[in-house]
């Protein structure tokens, strides 16, 4: 391809509305343009990268035994009503009506459509297991689309769905897909981690997210220093401390704290170290035998953070978690937040594992402007339950039993779920079992954010000059940059000859034949992240040589013209 | 691929709601399933065919110098308002609102989006010409979706757009795209015709449709018997007859026709042959100098049909054409339709070329229940104009000057337009010209109905047993059908060995390893249209042979097992 006949569309300035580096570089390198909020046009060089991701994903899906098909983007509302998600899904589900006023949705995912398809087409256990996938345009009407294609409203996904007679069979396919996902990210040359994840609103039991590691990642991931263990911080278990709780050594005493309502204020005004105090959070739940809604107290060490997903798993606590209103708290306890604590509470008390091994600690006295010091469990508070309530922090022991936890940031690019029968049961998707009876199928689902991978790869591979593509993802394998082509006879002649020879050798080459200054051309090729640039200049030609620059390593290599095509092709393909 | 691990989904019965053969066969062969009206899921075998069409289209577009990109399906309303089509487009444009109540459309075509893109990204004549294309999901909210993927609401299109400084440059690209389209249809092995077409609502001057010829086609195409000339019947010119008009030989006479209001009734009741009478159609127009709306009379030979598009091209006639209401006709002429004719009319009279060479003909007397016979132009009607108003019929002289016209039916699968400045002017899409001044670009647009081609190919290639794919389109190149595999040791052994050898030879082979009767397996492979079937049976194995069946020709060939893979691979690739 010649740049003179291409839409290069590079930008010198960083667009002001692009917050993260991948969004900035995709705009500057001419890979994407915004059409409207969360809607992006893929320019030729961007689309080439997108297609490369798609191709690797397809190959690994096929290898794992999944079969490709293609479902409509537009989905009838009745299937979503059948699964219950027409009501449950928020405004992210873009609902539309057709000319006859019939309701449809633009699909953000296809559990309903595939379950409907399989219940109609598959009738016997003999046809199972089966895994079906598609690579498709998806729509999610994000409330605040941002970061370019990272969180867009229209995007490309690979979504796969598997159907089984048994949990064991599902687990086998799940493992195969897990492996296929690892293959995809390895082939793309990305630093990634499969992490144990929460199943969230999709449902099901076992689930893994695949994260590309990058500073700008929206998710925090906890890793073991000594094993493969990795989990979304929402999901990582905070183990009970191994040390025993010290014996009480202090008396229970009150002290006045009129201006200290937070852990930070207690430290500043009264010298209470955060890990020596507890925080008391009051939430709604169903604490009583008559199923009446009431209040529940959650106790955490002062320096720890509540993990809402963990709290929601406790049977007494409402899901979604809701913090109690101040007036409800005052009515039940007689004090406002800032002076609450476990001593003397009549509502259920749930204590985080780390708070449960504290002794002689500080907490509110359930009387405004007053705290207790010297609180001890069992002596001062007898009715309580211990539960994992908090986010892990760096240095916590790893739940896998090996090493301690580190926390890094990641961008979620894949998510796999053992769904179980959530959709197949709601939609009555059964087949004839071996025993001749109808049996509801067990399902798995497996997503990859194809367009998001492009952005995530850039977050991980860039420098001050632009994108540094891995060979697997680069829009072009090689750029030819002739210097001052219009001032010389032999430069264009040799550039044209090499361009034609590289094309014949099957190398995807971008020939910068514009009448631009060398600096402009180098900048554009670096911005676009082409892995190799072949520079053709007068001085080197005097020695019958050309120069090869490696974008990732910065290395420069002089090559005799006659051997350049063979040597470079071998290096690229090698 | 093994059928036991595939979604074959063939049906024995023809689904009752499928009217045309391609729709029936696509359902029966398990290529598509209906999700909702006009919305289809592509099953694995159907998707493979669709992807093969896409691939050929992409290769020919790239070869023609077009560059691939990808625009969003969801388009902001403001661009459509800018071009004026937000108002002009009917309910086929599926309009939606997002969560913030902003209006968008699901794109049936992308003139607005690409024009907006190019006006922002291209600033100088030096960057032109450029041709951009995409292969994409399109949406058209058809009032009556039908014929499966032939007229669906969601479908796959290749749409391309070119931008130029001059009409000449556009004409060159147009020719290159015309050639690329011919290459596509030739490579797909289809019997097709490029035909001169009307530009319709897209706008522009020159336009060609590409039709796949098939009995079931919705469009009538007029061909010359002696040249390449082909035109949509809407567009084919009806030449003026070469014979001179006979001299008048009869007097003008009235006769009573109380029960003869149509050409057919005149023939039945009064023996007037249709080609000896004329029909008089009254339409609205602006016949008068003061630009007042009024009536215009159109005169056609009794056996000819009005071509509305031709009539709309006359400056006096309203576009879109509208037949006058009976009360307006009576008010102006004093008679109702059924008794109208050209004699004595005071409104403008426009006469079709073939009607203008008639003599001594019959027409209504503009008095209810009365007709004239012996009418002659110039003697009885002096104020009239001759114009091409009718559809061509078989046997008409070809407008190209060679041969006569034949009429065949076709399915429109492609359409190319020289748009001119319709969109670029409305959207102020200009670039800096060589003279340093801003100049509006000239545009072309080029569409191919990718998913529609799949159905059209089936309309052209089928028999009583199913689909007869050309090699370029077949979902699999070869089927292996072992007969009664479970009753023998050596049949599965040889089938497995050959399956593995064909895969290694790069042949896309479907191995029917189901425990089904041979008849069921043969029927499925014929229905699916696999070009070659390799039959492995006990009797032939005794002679160390297998049998190859050719789906298109019906030929059978015995092959020694040891040479089967090489011989068949050569035949498929040859």
């Amino acid at each position: 391809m010649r740049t003179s006949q291409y839409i290069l569309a590079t930008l010198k300035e960083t667009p002001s509305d692009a917050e993260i580096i991948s969004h900035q570089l995709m705009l500057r390198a001419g890979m994407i343009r915004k059409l409207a909020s969360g809607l992006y046009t893929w320019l030729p060089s961007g689309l080439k990268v997108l297609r490369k991701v798609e191709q690797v994903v397809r190959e690994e899906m096929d290898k794992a035994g999944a079969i490709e098909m293609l479902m409509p983007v537009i989905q009838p509302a009745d299937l979503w009503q059948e699964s219950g998600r027409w009501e449950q899904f928020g405004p992210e589900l873009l609902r539309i009506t057709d000319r006859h006023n019939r309701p449809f949705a633009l699909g953000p995912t296809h559990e309903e459509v595939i379950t409907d398809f399989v219940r109609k087409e598959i009738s016997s256990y003999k046809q199972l297991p089966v895994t079906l996938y598609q690579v498709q345009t998806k729509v999610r009407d994000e409330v605040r689309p941002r970061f370019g294609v990272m969180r867009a409203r229209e995007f490309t996904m690979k979504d796969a769905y598997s159907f089984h007679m048994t949990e064991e069979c599902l687990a086998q396919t799940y493992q195969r897909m897990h492996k296929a996902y690892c293959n995809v990210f390895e082939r793309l040359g990305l630093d990634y981690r499969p992490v144990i994840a929460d199943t969230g609103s999709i449902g099901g039991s076992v689930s893994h997210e695949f994260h590309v590691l990058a500073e700008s990642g929206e998710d925090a991931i906890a890793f073991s220093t000594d094993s493969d263990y990795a989990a979304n911080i929402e999901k990582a278990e905070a183990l009970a401390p191994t040390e025993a709780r010290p014996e009480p050594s202090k008396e229970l005493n009150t002290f006045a704290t009129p201006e200290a309502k937070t852990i930070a204020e207690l430290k500043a005004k009264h010298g209470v170290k955060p890990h020596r105090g507890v925080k008391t959070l009051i939430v709604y739940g169903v604490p009583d035998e008559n199923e009446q809604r009431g209040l529940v107290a959650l106790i955490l060490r002062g320096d720890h953070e509540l993990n809402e997903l963990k709290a929601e798993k406790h049977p007494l606590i409402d899901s979604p978690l809701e913090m109690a209103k101040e007036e409800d708290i005052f009515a039940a306890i007689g004090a406002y937040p800032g002076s609450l604590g476990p001593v003397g509470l009549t509502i259920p008390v749930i204590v985080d594992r780390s708070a449960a091994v504290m002794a002689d600690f500080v907490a509110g006295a359930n009387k405004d402007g007053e705290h207790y010091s010297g609180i001890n469990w069992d002596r001062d508070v007898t009715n309580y339950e211990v539960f994992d309530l908090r986010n892990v922090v760096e240095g916590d022991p790893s739940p896998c039993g090996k090493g301690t936890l580190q926390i890094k940031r990641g961008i979620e690019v894949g998510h796999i779920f053992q769904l179980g029968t959530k959709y197949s049961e709601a939609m009555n998707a059964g087949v004839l079992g071996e025993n001749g009876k109808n049996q509801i199928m067990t399902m798995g689902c497996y997503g990859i954010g194809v367009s998001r991978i492009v952005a995530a790869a850039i977050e991980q591979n860039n420098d001050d000059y632009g994108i540094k593509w891995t060979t697997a993802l680069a829009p072009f394998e090689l750029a030819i940059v002739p210097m001052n082509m219009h001032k010389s006879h032999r430069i264009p002649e040799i550039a044209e000859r090499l361009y034609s020879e590289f094309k014949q050798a099957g190398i995807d080459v971008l020939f910068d034949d514009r009448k631009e200054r060398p600096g402009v051309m180098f900048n554009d090729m670096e911005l676009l992240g082409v892995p190799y640039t072949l520079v053709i200049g007068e001085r080197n030609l005097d020695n019958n040589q050309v120069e090869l620059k490696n974008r990732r390593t910065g290395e420069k290599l002089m090559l005799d013209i006659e051997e350049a095509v063979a040597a470079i092709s071998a290096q690229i393909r090698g």
Side-chain angles (χ1 to χ4, degrees), chain A:
Chain A
M1 183 56 69
R2 292 165 189 272
T3 50
S4 64
Q5 293 167 15
Y6 204 60
I7 302 274
L8 211 52
T10 51
L11 303 175
K12 285 206 189 77
E13 305 296 324
T14 298
S16 58
D17 60 339
E19 295 168 55
I20 60 170
I21 191 71
S22 61
H23 188 192
Q24 292 167 0
L25 288 176
M26 288 181 82
L27 289 168
R28 285 190 54 212
M31 291 177 66
I32 56 167
R33 284 294 184 269
K34 180 166 141 180
L35 173 62
S37 172
L39 300 175
Y40 286 87
T41 291
W42 290 80
L43 274 63
S45 64
L47 182 62
K48 283 186 82 175
V49 179
L50 186 70
R51 294 272 189 251
K52 288 195 172 191
V53 177
E54 282 183 24
Q55 188 53 29
V56 169
V57 169
R58 278 204 176 90
E59 286 171 14
E60 293 300 329
M61 285 298 111
D62 291 345
K63 217 161 60 176
I67 312 172
E68 188 174 3
M69 57 187 294
L70 185 62
M71 292 172 268
V73 176
I74 303 174
Q75 309 182 359
D78 54 4
L79 292 180
W80 286 75
Q81 281 153 355
E82 211 179 329
S83 76
R85 287 207 291 182
W86 187 257
E87 302 301 327
Q88 290 158 21
F89 226 98
E92 286 75 26
L93 183 67
L94 186 42
R95 288 153 228 247
I96 65 172
T97 52
D98 72 0
R99 62 191 292 161
H100 305 297
N101 224 23
R102 283 183 295 241
F104 291 85
L106 301 184
T109 179
H110 278 67
E111 281 81 11
E112 283 82 0
V113 177
I114 194 77
T115 305
D116 177 58
F117 174 78
V118 167
R119 73 179 165 182
K120 286 176 178 156
E121 299 301 329
I122 292 190
S123 54
S124 159
Y125 72 95
K126 292 180 196 163
Q127 295 165 280
L128 296 183
V130 68
T131 305
L132 298 162
Y133 79 97
Q134 58 179 355
V135 177
Q136 196 195 31
T137 299
K138 293 277 192 286
V139 175
R140 244 186 98 90
D141 199 0
E142 296 284 351
V143 61
R144 198 161 77 86
R146 61 201 151 128
F147 306 152
V149 299
M150 194 79 92
R151 191 172 289 283
R153 300 204 282 178
E154 186 177 321
F155 52 97
T156 305
M157 279 264 299
K158 186 284 301 174
D159 48 329
Y161 307 89
S162 69
F163 293 83
H164 312 266
M165 295 302 286
T166 64
E167 292 283 340
E168 296 68 43
C169 180
L170 166 60
Q172 277 170 23
T173 295
Y174 186 85
Q175 277 316 316
R176 197 154 56 225
M177 294 302 273
H178 190 291
K179 177 77 184 115
Y181 274 48
C182 292
N183 292 347
V184 166
F185 300 116
E186 259 153 42
R187 283 181 59 185
L188 296 177
L190 297 173
D191 186 12
Y192 76 99
R193 294 287 186 287
V195 309
I196 302 163
D198 195 82
T199 50
S201 69
I202 293 266
S205 49
V206 181
S207 170
H208 282 84
E209 290 170 0
F210 290 78
H211 284 261
V212 168
L213 300 185
E215 288 298 321
S216 60
E218 286 193 284
D219 292 292
I221 304 161
F223 298 87
S224 165
T225 50
D226 294 0
S227 83
D228 278 347
Y229 177 85
N232 195 304
I233 201 166
E234 293 173 339
K235 181 79 179 179
E237 185 180 2
L239 294 180
T242 47
E243 62 268 31
R245 191 173 73 208
E247 289 300 310
S249 69
K250 293 191 179 160
E251 292 300 306
L252 189 67
N253 275 311
T254 58
F255 60 109
T257 52
E259 286 170 352
K261 296 190 165 185
T262 65
I263 296 291
E265 286 163 354
L266 270 178
K267 183 182 176 197
K269 303 223 158 92
H270 301 279
V272 180
K273 290 176 187 158
H275 72 278
R276 300 290 311 132
V278 302
K279 49 177 115 174
T280 303
L281 304 168
I282 311 294
V283 300
Y284 293 107
V286 184
D288 123 335
E289 286 165 10
N290 303 322
E291 304 268 319
Q292 297 256 322
R293 199 162 183 241
L295 302 183
V296 177
L298 309 179
I299 313 291
L300 290 122
R301 211 170 78 183
D303 57 342
H304 285 156
E305 294 293 330
L306 175 69
N307 179 314
E308 300 196 0
L309 289 170
K310 289 181 177 179
E312 286 169 359
K313 294 212 168 81
H314 194 285
L316 290 187
I317 299 175
D318 278 2
S319 174
L321 191 84
E322 193 187 343
M323 291 294 158
K325 293 197 188 88
E326 296 209 344
E327 58 266 33
D328 289 346
I329 293 172
F330 188 82
I333 302 174
Y336 284 106
S339 302
L340 303 176
V343 180
L345 281 184
T346 56
I347 60 175
V349 174
I350 303 173
V351 182
D352 179 63
R353 290 167 171 171
S354 294
V357 297
M358 294 168 74
D360 302 330
F361 60 89
V362 171
N366 296 326
K367 196 169 162 196
D368 284 335
E370 215 165 86
H371 275 72
Y372 280 121
S373 65
I375 309 176
N376 281 281
W377 298 112
D378 297 333
R379 186 190 73 183
D380 308 318
V381 186
T382 50
N383 206 1
Y384 66 95
E385 184 187 345
V386 178
F387 202 72
D388 177 15
L389 286 179
R390 70 172 174 94
N391 282 334
V392 293
V393 295
E394 282 221 337
D396 275 346
S398 173
C400 68
K402 289 184 195 158
T404 55
L405 290 180
Q406 281 191 309
I407 292 176
K408 289 192 184 178
R409 301 205 72 81
I411 300 164
E412 185 194 331
V413 288
H415 205 158
I416 61 178
F417 298 87
Q418 292 188 23
L419 283 178
T421 57
K422 177 179 156 118
Y423 296 91
S424 46
E425 216 160 73
M427 298 180 68
N428 194 24
V431 294
L432 206 66
E434 218 165 339
N435 58 5
K437 285 183 186 158
N438 185 62
Q439 186 190 320
I440 294 296
M441 288 177 276
T442 295
M443 289 171 61
C445 78
Y446 317 89
I448 286 187
V450 174
S451 41
R452 183 176 250 220
I453 284 178
V454 178
I458 295 174
E459 289 292 331
Q460 204 175 73
N461 296 280
N462 67 78
D463 62 15
D464 290 347
Y465 305 101
I467 305 166
K468 288 160 70 172
W469 288 117
T470 60
T471 316
L473 284 171
F476 293 95
E477 294 174 311
L478 174 70
I480 296 180
V481 174
M483 295 205 287
N484 302 312
M485 193 155 76
H486 48 294
K487 291 185 189 159
S488 149
H489 279 297
R490 58 178 182 171
I491 288 185
E493 186 195 307
I494 286 165
E496 291 283 353
R497 199 184 79 205
L498 289 175
Y499 174 53
S500 142
E501 287 178 15
F502 277 114
K503 281 201 296 182
Q504 278 204 320
I507 299 295
D508 192 2
V509 54
L510 181 64
F511 176 20
D512 201 345
D513 63 344
R514 294 175 295 171
K515 285 183 191 162
E516 291 282 6
R517 285 180 295 108
V520 171
M521 294 156 83
F522 289 138
N523 287 349
D524 278 350
M525 294 308 115
E526 284 182 332
L527 182 55
L528 190 54
V530 183
Y532 295 96
T533 297
L534 186 67
V535 186
I536 303 173
E538 278 294 342
R539 214 168 330 146
N540 290 326
L541 284 190
D542 289 343
N543 302 322
N544 210 32
Q545 287 193 313
V546 288
E547 189 188 61
L548 184 69
K549 285 168 80 171
N550 182 319
R551 174 72 179 92
R552 288 179 72 85
T553 64
E555 278 175 302
K556 294 178 181 182
L557 188 67
M558 298 301 290
L559 291 166
D560 285 348
I561 294 178
E562 301 312 321
E563 67 188 26
V565 175
I568 294 169
S569 302
Q571 187 146 358
I572 290 171
R573 293 284 180 250

